[in-house]
Amino acid sequence: MSDPRPDQSPDPTRQAFYDRIASSSLTPLWEVLKSLVAKEPKSAAVAHCWRWADVRPFVLEAGSVISAAEAERRVLILENPGLPGQSRITNTLYAGLQLILQGEVARAHRHTQSALRFVVEGSGAYTAVDGERTLMRPGDFVITPSWAWHDHGNETQEPMVWLDGLDIPIVGFFEASFAEGFEAELQTQAKPVGDSQARFGEGLLPLGHVRTNAASPVFNYPYARSREALEKLRRSGPLDACHGLAMRYANPLDGGWAMPTIGTWLHLLPKDFSGAPYRATDATVFSCVEGTGRVYVFAPGGKLESFEFGPRDIFVVPSWQWRRFEATSDCVLFAFSDRPAQEKLGLWREMRGNG
Ligand code: GTQ
């Protein structure tokens, strides 16, 4: 049913009533019901693409504006143009590009926000999580679980840039943010490099392992391994009409998402793939790893946006907006969204269109 009084302010008698009850901290539901309990998601966020060629110079310039030591984390936030000043890329997720120059460290701290790192440029810098370092290469997906101590360092000769994805807006909504600095700049290395991978990432698990964390104990999912798997699977198919070949990162302890609030996966879109339309309630951030393609996003009101993307470009598709992919060459996309959080709350929905 359409609103019988569209775009009208309330009549004066009602307004006088609203004014009187306002002093008792009361307000009428019927004036706001349709926007509070919307028929379907209407995101204030917009589809947007950050081209690597445009943002890379600014990310590197940040290296001369402030040191990693002074900044604690030297990051340029990818802020959704529809949500200015809110430090978020979607309504529920934060994303940024973190720069760590050769010889620098980003001191140890921990927070209740969970973080993912997706390596964009540079190779061989490390992140240390709970006393274990992992060296990061382009396309690696690395997890910093909630409340885990972490520091980053770059002992290579090149700058390194990675995409940070954090559940900062979710934790903020729940007013559950805690953070603290470590007593020293860096953690001591309590475990050898590769320990988590050997213990949890080889199809084996320690006998009698008692789970203590909601996140995957494998904290680096190297791109080389994922890419090899995708390459094998593309030959045996089948390809999903909307997603191409899509594989999610799994927690080996239970097969669930690798992180409790943020879902992460990869798409392989073969050259000339032309995907069917798809939408879901999880606004999604994509980072192109290899290849080139185009994404079409249908915003409410019939507005059609399209972005051509290539390696290291990052784009975001808001909740419940139709999207479809085309690949102009074999293309790999990394994706993340709040899907695990929505699934746990029974909220997640998806819808497929016809190609
Ligand atoms: O690396 O710990 O982009 O604490 C934002 C907050 C990165 C980090 C961010 C953080 C970090």
Side-chain angles (χ1 to χ4, degrees), residues 73 75 94 98 109 111 117 150 152 164 166:
R73 295 296 185 266
V75 179
Y94 157 105
Q98 180 157 178
H109 70 191
H111 37 71
R117 330 282 173 190
H150 54 288
H152 317 298
D164 278 324
L166 284 89

Side-chain angles (χ1 to χ4, degrees), residues 141-161:
F141 158 54
V142 177
I143 299 171
T144 309
S146 174
W147 210 235
W149 292 112
H150 54 288
D151 53 79
H152 317 298
N154 184 349
E155 295 172 353
T156 75
Q157 301 306 311
E158 311 278 338
M160 182 147 171
V161 180

Side-chain angles (χ1 to χ4, degrees), residues 128-253:
V129 175
D130 281 339
E132 181 181 338
R133 284 188 183 183
T134 188
L135 298 176
M136 299 187 284
R137 297 184 179 82
D140 288 1
F141 158 54
V142 177
I143 299 171
T144 309
S146 174
W147 210 235
W149 292 112
H150 54 288
D151 53 79
H152 317 298
N154 184 349
E155 295 172 353
T156 75
Q157 301 306 311
E158 311 278 338
M160 182 147 171
V161 180
W162 63 74
L163 173 63
D164 278 324
L166 284 89
D167 56 6
I168 290 173
I170 297 178
V171 175
F173 183 69
F174 287 117
E175 299 185 317
S177 176
F178 294 90
E180 60 185 10
F182 192 60
E183 64 218 16
E185 190 173 48
L186 301 178
Q187 303 169 74
T188 46
Q189 291 184 63
K191 296 171 217 157
V193 172
D195 191 83
S196 298
Q197 179 63 38
R199 210 174 288 276
F200 298 101
E202 302 293 351
L204 294 163
L205 294 174
L207 185 64
H209 175 70
V210 178
R211 185 168 180 174
T212 55
N213 200 302
S216 169
V218 177
F219 75 107
N220 187 348
Y221 292 73
Y223 186 64
R225 295 166 67 112
S226 317
R227 185 68 183 87
E228 198 182 316
L230 294 177
E231 202 52 41
K232 277 197 182 122
L233 295 176
R234 66 179 297 181
R235 287 180 216 128
S236 50
L239 285 186
D240 181 277
C242 302
H243 303 312
L245 174 61
M247 300 289 288
R248 68 180 174 83
Y249 292 93
N251 182 334
L253 298 182

Side-chain angles (χ1 to χ4, degrees), residues 50-52 55-56 120-122 138 287-290 310-314:
W50 289 263
R51 293 229 160 63
W52 184 242
V55 298
R56 182 180 186 272
V120 180
E121 185 177 297
S287 170
C288 178
V289 195
E290 295 176 36
R312 300 174 172 142
D313 293 343
I314 295 161

Side-chain angles (χ1 to χ4, degrees), residues 48-75:
H48 190 73
C49 182
W50 289 263
R51 293 229 160 63
W52 184 242
D54 297 335
V55 298
R56 182 180 186 272
F58 293 133
V59 172
L60 292 179
E61 194 180 337
S64 56
V65 169
I66 194 166
S67 67
E70 195 189 344
E72 185 158 334
R73 295 296 185 266
R74 190 204 287 114
V75 179

